[in-house]
Amino acid sequence: MTLVEQSAADLLKQLAAGELTSRELTQAYLDQIEQHDARVGAFLRVNAEAALKQADTIDRRRGAGEQIGVLGGLPVAVKDLLCQTGEPTTCASRMLEDFRPPYDSTVVAKLKAADAVLLGRTNMDEFAMGGSTENSAFQPTRNPWDLERSPGGSSGGAAACVAAGMAPLSIGTDTGGSIRQPSAFCGVVGMKPTYGRVSRYGLVAFASSLDQAGPISGTVADTALLLQAIAGHDPRDSTSLNAPTPDYTADVDKPLEGLRLGVVKEHFGEGLDPEVDSAVRAAIAAYEAQGAKIVELSLPHSRFAVATYYVIAPCEASSNLARYDGAHYGRRTEERAMLASLQAERKAAQEAGDADALDNIDTALVRMYRQSRSEAIGPEVKRRIMLGAYALSAGYYDAYYLKALKVRRLIRQDFDQAFEKVDMIVGPTTAGPANKLGEFADDPLGMYLLDLYTVSANLAGLPAMSLPCGATKSGMPIGLQLHAPPLEESRLLRAARMFEQSGVWKSKRCAL
Amino acid sequence: MYTTVIGLEVHVQLATKSKLFCGCSTAYGAEPNTQTCPVCIGMPGSLPVMNEEAVALAIETGLALNLQIAKFTKWDRKQYFYPDLPKGYQISQYDLPITHDGWLEIEDPKGAFEPKKIRILRAHLEEDAGKSLHDESAGKGDTLIDLNRTGTPLLEIVSEPDLRSSAEAKAYLTELRLLLTYLGVSDCNMQEGSLRVDANVNLHIPSDAAANDDNAQDGKIATPIVEIKNMNSFRAVERAIDYEADRQYREWKETGRRLGQSPKQTRGWDDAAGVTRAQRSKEESSDYRYFPDPDLAPVVISAEVVAKVRERLIELPADLRKRLVADYGLSLYDADVIVNQGRPTVDYYLTVADGSGDAKSSANWLTQDVLRTLKNRELAIEEFSIPAERLSNFVKKIGAGELPSARGREVFELMADDGLEVDAAMDKLGIAQVDDSEIESLCQELLDANPKVVADVQGGKQQAIGALIGQAKKKNPNIDPGKFRATCLALIAKG
Ligand SMILES: [Zn+2]
């Protein structure tokens, strides 16, 4: 088995034993990227020099007998949405093409403190809006299992790089399923922790009340390892939970006794791909075989989840993205040309004696905002900003935003009631396998439905994860999704590990 | 004729060391953009964290203004695009302000209006915006942004439209500023922008048209409300209100337009020209799209927190005035003069009055001589060369007749100039107490030399003694004229 096919946990053992240096390992991944990423497009930027330098430092420190952090020299890829000092943090948007944060996000700071080697920045849908990573302003990412297909989104680059053996571990963010859905499409393990478990400080906001960073990796144990490194309370994030961080890595191999598993009837309705249906049912049977009790449940408000999500997320996005105004951040339109055209418009209106038109021409400031945003923001992001601005505007607020908040509470209540009866909920991550690239080019609503099974966890703030549980006849991965009550990441990981060990499905890296 | 109806919105900068949602300094006057961090300039990914001290200062102000303190409050985003607003929204409080429904009593010691309670609708916390600096010097017309002020905590205090004249508005602002500076919650420096005022003004005009107007009350119709912005002194507020009342009356006579027939208008005050000017309708139309800030948890304010803040609440100006009138026998006018000077002057007065045992005389020396000296020398009371204990001895000496009041001012001035104790000053001026036998012999000597005066007094013209006082003072400058007069009269009566 080559280095890049091994699990992070195995590599860490070799690093700790001195059988492998971080430099050798980092170089192996850099080679893999060099060889394959031109076709996959998972990375927006790879800083080989900085990564190798960091690896050397860790090797030297280990050689000197110093204490090394929990990630002990393992390479980690980071979604291009988490601020890193001095590194471009573009959110795959032209707007932030030249943005170099003067500070580290808490996640990046924790990765550095855990002695991870920061490999590079992964591609995503612009500002994390989209379900296919085709909405990146710079490049699409392709699914390593089938280059004609999408890797999912918005953390498509983060999932694809792990699937393609270009990084053992990567950080994604999940606002409506953006870690779990691409993990399912790429056949890797991905977790959205409880809202507030991982700090949002330095995570460029899409929808603040839903965004959550989380780990993506090849195995459940590796997911536990990466979560261990990034979880914890952060006083700089008021929404961060002040709860102790359990030892995920120590607990992950302990099976759960007398597990009560909830199966939600709404997850198996119309629209579910038959191959996904049978793979998920096989997974449920594997749990049953290990002594789990299966309980049929209903989450009656889950059918409103996508609609609710597509009111709340755009509302918050319209506000969070207002700062990209051309005055303070990101791209400003070419002012000289803008002022000249403004003057020409004024002159034309004056000559035509059209007072109304004259009155309607922007001031220079308004035109600067309008034109800068218009030029630098992509169509999907614009669509959501407009949706949000509309839903928050006077006269519509109660009907949309406030109503959505009420439904959001009902969705959470459904889960609270369900978790009185079961320890965990199990079902599909997505309704089908990865779609073809370009499939949703003219069908934004179709793309929104990709989030059908994943958005509820974000609306309810629950931890949830996706792990591979099968493949279609054509060889595309199928994901199994687990939901747990708040702060029960440990339970999720242990249950996921139980499935992994059942032998029903052996996940593998794809061959490129 | 018509009634002017005024409501004021006062923005007060709270005296916290750091900003409302980050640790940056709030000190005034630093180089542009040196007091900023990723949080207050709204850098992508940054998050706000609430400043507990700002919340405590808001509660303290709320208690002093008789406001209800919310048990549950939250933060909302107020969205608009402006170059000095880096996030594209301001974090403020919309429907659940931290304090609401209170009042401030205003009273005019000269009696220009009856004492009245001005209701306060709410006082909520919000962050300040930055400052645009227009650089036209190089002929470029560039606008530069200074974000030092961005995120500074403000308390917006909104009154009900209970004020009825510019004089009442000024009294309200004066009393509010006094109260806030007493509490120390703000320095209220208008030049530095620590206190800013917007006024909502309209008129209630008696009219026959009131009969079929939904907005009319007591036979009066209301003119459309105008918000006046950009006033940078209390004087400007007074002038702007008076101007605006007159302008609205003229406009009403011309157009007959009433409340409800046109939207609320925003006008700016041009202090140099002394007029309000309409702002472009585009600039005033606003849909702020408020919604709860998802980055900040709602705030639950417990009874313990309120009790803790209440403990640090000090005696307020209105209570001090009442105490000076009731316990020290001062006129409301004198009490007002002393209290309006601020707490250090009140403390100075209390020391002088308590030490000398003569409250009235202490007030006279303070409100006349002390304040005049301070004003001439541009000093604060804390810097004054006569400490309160020393003035107390001085007043006591005059009261006991040990220092002739006629020479009091000389002594006072020497004390102020040379920083002397009262005894030392009297020594230096050669003021010695004259004993009774000495006065008696001087009286006898002068009466003997002036038989006409004696005859005049005996004939009933007591004021004739006056002619001797000048001579007596020449012979002994320490003679107390009153005592001299009384002794002479007694000697003449004895025969
Ligand atoms: Zn700051």
Side-chain angles (χ1 to χ4, degrees):
Chain A
M1 207 188 263
T2 65
L3 282 176
V4 302
E5 289 169 306
Q6 297 180 40
S7 77
D10 286 344
L11 294 168
L12 190 61
K13 276 187 206 125
Q14 296 165 52
L15 285 165
E19 296 158 8
L20 175 67
T21 63
S22 180
R23 170 174 266 271
E24 286 171 289
L25 185 63
T26 303
Q27 190 60 60
Y29 282 106
L30 289 171
D31 291 347
Q32 184 82 354
I33 293 167
E34 176 74 31
Q35 210 178 334
H36 299 294
D37 201 40
R39 277 175 297 150
V40 177
F43 284 90
L44 285 174
R45 279 175 316 286
V46 174
N47 193 339
E49 200 184 321
L52 290 169
K53 203 173 143 203
Q54 210 180 351
D56 284 343
T57 306
I58 295 166
D59 286 334
R60 197 178 58 240
R61 282 175 44 220
R62 198 192 304 274
E66 281 179 43
Q67 182 82 26
I68 304 295
V70 294
L71 294 178
L74 288 170
V76 179
V78 177
K79 187 175 181 178
D80 203 26
L81 164 96
L82 287 147
C83 290
Q84 183 175 338
T85 312
E87 277 289 312
T89 297
T90 71
C91 298
S93 178
R94 293 277 170 214
M95 185 50 100
L96 289 180
E97 196 169 359
D98 299 318
F99 175 55
R100 280 168 176 74
Y103 72 103
D104 276 337
S105 55
T106 299
V107 167
V108 165
K110 278 178 168 272
L111 290 174
K112 286 180 177 173
D115 289 319
V117 170
L118 299 175
L119 206 52
R121 317 276 304 175
T122 58
N123 194 24
M124 55 187 280
D125 286 304
E126 183 178 3
F127 285 110
M129 297 181 199
S132 66
T133 315
E134 288 167 277
N135 294 312
S136 164
F138 304 113
Q139 66 194 37
T141 299
R142 293 169 181 275
N143 193 314
W145 296 91
D146 176 352
L147 296 174
E148 295 306 305
R149 289 179 187 267
S150 153
S154 63
S155 310
C161 73
V162 173
M166 298 190 285
L169 300 169
S170 90
I171 301 285
T173 66
D174 190 314
T175 306
S178 291
I179 286 176
R180 291 159 288 156
Q181 185 251 43
S183 293
F185 285 179
C186 294
V188 296
V189 181
M191 179 198 272
K192 179 202 101 70
T194 309
Y195 181 77
R197 178 60 103 181
V198 175
S199 171
R200 284 189 299 117
Y201 190 80
L203 182 166
V204 179
F206 157 18
S208 311
S209 76
L210 302 160
D211 294 342
Q212 187 59 216
I216 297 176
S217 67
T219 71
V220 175
D222 292 356
T223 297
L225 177 68
L226 189 50
L227 180 63
Q228 197 79 57
I230 62 171
H233 178 243
D234 180 6
R236 288 185 300 180
D237 174 359
S238 313
T239 59
S240 157
L241 297 170
N242 199 350
T245 310
D247 192 339
Y248 301 115
T249 43
D251 293 344
V252 68
D253 277 320
K254 296 177 192 156
L256 292 154
E257 303 271 331
L259 186 63
R260 296 170 301 162
L261 271 188
V263 174
V264 179
K265 66 174 183 218
E266 287 85 358
H267 286 170
F268 293 88
E270 204 187 321
L272 183 63
D273 181 287
E275 288 184 296
V276 174
D277 185 302
S278 66
V280 171
R281 285 187 196 281
I284 294 167
Y287 275 112
E288 233 176 337
Q290 294 183 71
K293 191 174 159 243
I294 307 300
V295 181
E296 180 137 332
L297 295 172
S298 170
L299 296 172
H301 296 97
S302 60
R303 65 196 171 100
F304 302 120
V306 170
T308 304
Y309 175 84
Y310 279 98
V311 172
I312 290 174
C315 283
E316 294 184 14
S318 73
S319 170
N320 285 330
L321 272 64
R323 71 194 66 198
Y324 310 117
D325 59 3
H328 300 91
Y329 300 105
R331 177 160 300 207
R332 180 180 300 179
T333 189
E334 211 290 292
E335 276 177 290
R336 216 183 281 265
M338 178 208 83
L339 290 170
S341 86
L342 205 53
Q343 206 160 11
E345 277 176 49
R346 271 204 207 99
K347 200 171 160 216
Q350 248 156 8
E351 279 167 4
D354 189 341
D356 273 358
L358 202 57
D359 197 47
N360 278 322
I361 293 172
D362 296 328
T363 61
L365 180 64
V366 167
R367 177 62 58 91
M368 193 277 282
Y369 290 151
R370 193 196 292 280
Q371 211 155 294
S372 299
R373 285 167 73 79
S374 172
E375 287 166 4
I377 296 176
E380 181 58 30
V381 177
K382 277 182 190 155
R383 185 179 294 128
R384 297 198 195 191
I385 289 172
M386 286 191 283
L387 271 173
Y390 177 81
L392 286 177
S393 60
Y396 298 100
Y397 180 88
D398 289 4
Y400 295 109
Y401 182 75
L402 221 53
K403 181 66 72 64
L405 285 191
K406 285 178 187 157
V407 180
R408 182 178 187 173
R409 255 196 307 277
L410 295 172
I411 290 168
R412 170 68 188 250
Q413 266 171 30
D414 282 355
F415 277 107
D416 289 345
Q417 282 162 12
F419 287 125
E420 285 171 12
K421 294 185 220 112
V422 300
D423 304 309
M424 190 107 53
I425 289 168
V426 61
T429 309
T430 57
N435 49 282
K436 289 265 166 58
L437 285 167
E439 200 174 321
F440 299 115
D442 301 313
D443 181 17
L445 288 178
M447 185 179 70
Y448 295 172
L449 289 172
L450 291 176
D451 302 331
L452 189 63
Y453 300 131
T454 49
V455 289
S456 295
N458 301 80
L459 290 167
L462 305 175
M465 68 188 288
S466 177
L467 68 158
C469 72
T472 62
K473 280 195 217 76
S474 58
M476 291 310 293
I478 293 171
L480 179 73
Q481 185 175 216
L482 300 170
H483 283 91
L487 294 174
E488 295 291 350
E489 286 84 3
S490 199
R491 193 190 294 176
L492 269 185
L493 290 163
R494 290 167 68 189
R497 184 77 182 116
M498 279 169 73
F499 175 75
E500 209 175 48
Q501 283 182 318
S502 71
V504 168
W505 178 252
K506 178 94 181 90
S507 59
K508 52 183 188 296
R509 302 288 164 97
C510 65
L512 279 163
Chain B
M1 197 168 59
Y2 59 74
T3 315
T4 312
V5 178
I6 306 153
L8 295 180
E9 291 170 17
V10 181
H11 288 83
V12 179
Q13 179 180 326
L14 293 176
T16 54
K17 289 207 169 51
S18 58
K19 294 184 178 180
L20 189 50
F21 299 111
C22 67
C24 291
S25 167
T26 55
Y28 178 81
E31 283 292 300
N33 297 309
T34 54
Q35 290 172 172
T36 59
C37 71
V39 174
C40 59
I41 65 176
M43 197 160 268
S46 65
L47 293 171
V49 176
M50 185 187 83
N51 180 341
E52 306 268 355
E53 178 59 12
V55 170
L57 292 181
I59 295 172
E60 191 177 347
T61 308
L63 292 172
L65 290 172
N66 311 291
L67 289 152
Q68 308 287 311
I69 312 298
K71 290 189 174 66
F72 180 89
T73 179
K74 66 176 173 74
W75 301 99
D76 301 281
R77 292 183 182 179
K78 178 181 181 178
Q79 338 246 0
Y80 60 97
F81 284 100
Y82 208 71
D84 56 22
L85 190 71
K87 296 190 291 289
Y89 58 82
Q90 177 190 26
I91 304 177
S92 180
Q93 299 192 303
Y94 178 52
D95 53 347
L96 296 172
I98 184 161
T99 60
H100 61 94
D101 293 300
W103 46 266
L104 176 66
E105 188 160 18
I106 58 168
E107 184 168 8
D108 182 16
K110 289 179 195 151
F113 54 82
E114 290 292 302
K116 64 193 281 190
K117 280 181 181 174
I118 306 304
R119 290 171 302 155
I120 295 170
L121 180 65
R122 58 187 281 163
H124 68 258
L125 279 162
E126 61 186 29
E127 57 175 353
D128 206 348
K131 222 162 101 181
S132 299
L133 307 161
H134 302 286
D135 173 20
E136 272 141 33
S137 55
K140 288 187 297 188
D142 279 352
T143 297
L144 305 172
I145 314 284
D146 176 8
L147 296 178
N148 279 351
R149 209 172 64 190
T150 307
T152 299
L154 298 180
L155 191 69
E156 181 176 343
I157 303 167
V158 183
S159 87
E160 295 276 9
D162 287 351
L163 298 158
R164 290 292 172 269
S165 67
S166 60
E168 288 187 11
K170 189 183 174 202
Y172 171 84
L173 291 171
T174 306
E175 186 66 5
L176 186 62
R177 179 171 63 183
L178 189 66
L179 183 135
L180 296 167
T181 48
Y182 261 81
L183 293 173
V185 298
S186 173
D187 65 17
C188 294
N189 186 328
M190 285 187 94
Q191 275 77 47
E192 295 179 4
S194 304
L195 191 151
R196 309 196 286 268
V197 184
D198 297 335
N200 285 287
V201 178
N202 76 338
L203 306 180
H204 289 181
I205 306 171
S207 165
D208 297 338
N212 41 27
D213 186 332
D214 290 345
N215 289 309
Q217 270 182 338
D218 306 328
K220 293 174 176 173
I221 64 106
T223 58
I225 296 172
V226 167
E227 181 171 5
I228 317 173
K229 290 188 177 288
N230 200 27
M231 300 169 288
N232 52 18
S233 70
F234 289 178
R235 177 85 191 111
V237 174
E238 274 188 291
R239 291 176 66 209
I241 289 171
D242 287 338
Y243 174 86
E244 185 58 23
D246 184 54
R247 190 198 66 78
Q248 287 187 25
Y249 188 65
R250 280 185 278 122
E251 186 176 88
W252 174 76
K253 281 205 291 195
E254 244 171 66
T255 67
R257 202 157 44 220
R258 292 172 253 152
L259 184 67
Q261 292 180 336
S262 61
K264 180 168 151 177
Q265 196 192 33
T266 305
R267 297 178 73 88
W269 171 245
D270 180 338
D271 203 49
V275 298
T276 64
R277 294 186 204 280
Q279 299 190 339
R280 281 178 53 173
S281 60
K282 261 191 202 159
E283 289 164 348
E284 66 180 83
S285 68
S286 47
D287 176 358
Y288 291 122
R289 290 176 288 117
Y290 280 101
F291 82 108
D293 192 324
D295 288 332
L296 286 159
V299 187
V300 176
I301 299 170
S302 67
E304 292 79 60
V305 166
V306 177
K308 225 172 156 183
V309 174
R310 198 184 292 276
E311 267 173 32
R312 67 190 211 190
L313 209 57
I314 49 137
E315 196 172 13
L316 300 175
D319 299 327
L320 270 170
R321 276 190 208 100
K322 285 194 188 108
R323 183 149 75 93
L324 293 185
V325 171
D327 299 354
Y328 290 78
L330 299 190
S331 67
L332 177 60
Y333 184 85
D334 279 349
D336 194 59
V337 169
I338 294 171
V339 170
N340 289 2
Q341 295 296 317
R343 183 73 212 193
T345 303
V346 175
D347 289 335
Y348 187 95
Y349 170 73
L350 293 175
T351 307
V352 176
D354 293 344
S356 67
D358 188 344
K360 185 71 188 124
S361 171
S362 299
N364 288 342
W365 282 100
L366 174 60
T367 57
Q368 290 160 31
D369 300 81
V370 174
L371 293 186
R372 188 184 50 243
T373 310
L374 293 176
K375 194 176 171 214
N376 291 342
R377 300 182 185 184
E378 293 179 357
L379 291 175
I381 189 110
E382 297 93 324
E383 303 165 308
F384 187 41
S385 51
I386 308 180
E389 290 75 18
R390 228 173 255 183
L391 191 71
S392 165
N393 288 336
F394 167 85
V395 173
K396 205 163 153 185
K397 271 220 149 55
I398 293 179
E402 292 164 21
L403 166 58
S405 53
R407 302 203 66 189
R409 184 150 290 138
E410 273 175 84
V411 175
F412 177 87
E413 272 160 16
L414 191 61
M415 288 171 76
D417 288 343
D418 293 2
L420 295 175
E421 291 280 0
V422 58
D423 288 330
M426 283 170 66
D427 275 353
K428 198 166 177 189
L429 289 169
I431 299 175
Q433 215 187 330
V434 186
D435 66 42
D436 290 354
S437 63
E438 210 175 319
I439 295 177
E440 210 174 299
S441 66
L442 188 59
C443 282
Q444 198 61 63
E445 184 192 328
L446 289 174
L447 289 174
D448 289 348
N450 295 284
K452 181 160 187 325
V453 172
V454 176
D456 284 350
V457 172
Q458 278 164 342
K461 284 175 71 183
Q462 293 201 353
Q463 66 271 34
I465 295 288
L468 302 183
I469 290 178
Q471 295 180 45
K473 289 201 84 173
K474 248 179 228 153
K475 287 187 184 288
N476 185 346
N478 290 324
I479 281 288
D480 180 66
K483 228 167 184 175
F484 175 81
R485 177 194 300 270
T487 310
C488 286
L489 290 174
L491 285 175
I492 295 169
K494 252 202 300 189

